[in-house]
Amino acid sequence: MKIYNEWTAKISDESSREFFSNYLEAEKVVYANILAENMNKITGVISELAEQFSLDIITFAGFLDGINSSILKPLELEELTEDSNISLEINFEKLLYNMYVAKANWLYTLPEWDNILTQEQMLSVKRQYNVDNTAISQKVGRNDPCPCGSGKKYKKCCGK
């Protein structure tokens, strides 16, 4: 079985709550290590990289699943095996943004971010996240021009 399939099977299993909470803590340690070392490029064989980060293969597959949308050339996760050779080039601003999207406050509040991005860059990412996730009403007011283009007020035209 491919490692990504094992990962998805493991997290969809209802009895794996303990596994998932352990995964979140391991993920935090890995990201802290990556940020502390400013590792924007990670290359190697999956089994060796998992060992380097002190993770088992399934947990490392979960890490790859999480970081995949933040790397310059996303991986084909379904095809990966323990012997696959991978190369990750991390876009740190995109990574931080995706951590906001995932609501992973245990990750985007890591103090190691201070070594990677300036406060201005971090604020810019947070602002962009807020802009992208702000609901904007498309409702037409009664006294606004009608969207049909007639030139009449909405209440006198299509709003009747």
Side-chain angles (χ1 to χ4, degrees), residues 11 17 20 27 73 79 84 92 107 114 123 133 143 151:
I11 61 171
R17 291 190 198 282
F20 197 69
E27 177 186 47
K73 186 179 177 203
E79 304 301 317
S84 298
F92 285 119
L107 297 176
D114 295 339
L123 225 68
N133 292 286
N143 291 316

Side-chain angles (χ1 to χ4, degrees), residues 21-155:
S21 64
N22 291 338
Y23 165 76
L24 295 177
E25 188 56 40
E27 177 186 47
K28 180 179 177 180
V29 171
V30 170
Y31 278 114
N33 186 12
I34 288 171
L35 296 172
E37 304 274 331
N38 196 4
M39 288 187 218
N40 63 337
K41 287 188 179 184
I42 300 171
T43 58
V45 177
I46 288 181
S47 58
E48 294 169 2
L49 290 172
E51 188 176 316
Q52 177 185 337
F53 289 112
S54 303
L55 300 175
D56 61 81
I57 296 296
I58 296 173
T59 305
F60 191 72
F63 164 74
L64 292 175
D65 186 21
I67 201 167
N68 201 38
S69 61
S70 302
I71 58 178
L72 297 181
K73 186 179 177 203
L75 302 169
E76 293 293 330
L77 296 173
E78 295 82 10
E79 304 301 317
L80 298 177
T81 65
E82 292 182 32
D83 301 322
S84 298
N85 197 2
I86 61 170
S87 179
L88 311 175
E89 193 169 345
I90 303 169
N91 178 336
F92 285 119
E93 288 184 13
K94 193 172 183 183
L95 178 62
L96 181 61
Y97 181 89
N98 289 335
M99 287 176 176
Y100 281 119
V101 170
K103 297 180 181 16
N105 63 330
W106 63 95
L107 297 176
Y108 64 74
T109 57
L110 287 169
E112 288 83 0
W113 277 108
D114 295 339
N115 302 330
I116 303 296
L117 301 174
T118 66
Q119 288 296 337
E120 292 171 8
Q121 289 172 310
M122 292 176 75
L123 225 68
S124 174
V125 170
K126 178 65 172 168
R127 273 192 223 111
Q128 187 60 48
Y129 168 76
N130 288 338
V131 166
D132 292 346
N133 292 286
T134 301
I136 299 173
S137 174
Q138 300 295 330
K139 186 176 176 184
V140 179
R142 288 175 35 86
N143 291 316
D144 292 340
C146 190
C148 75
S150 67
K152 297 179 182 179
K153 289 186 178 183
Y154 179 70
K155 69 182 177 185

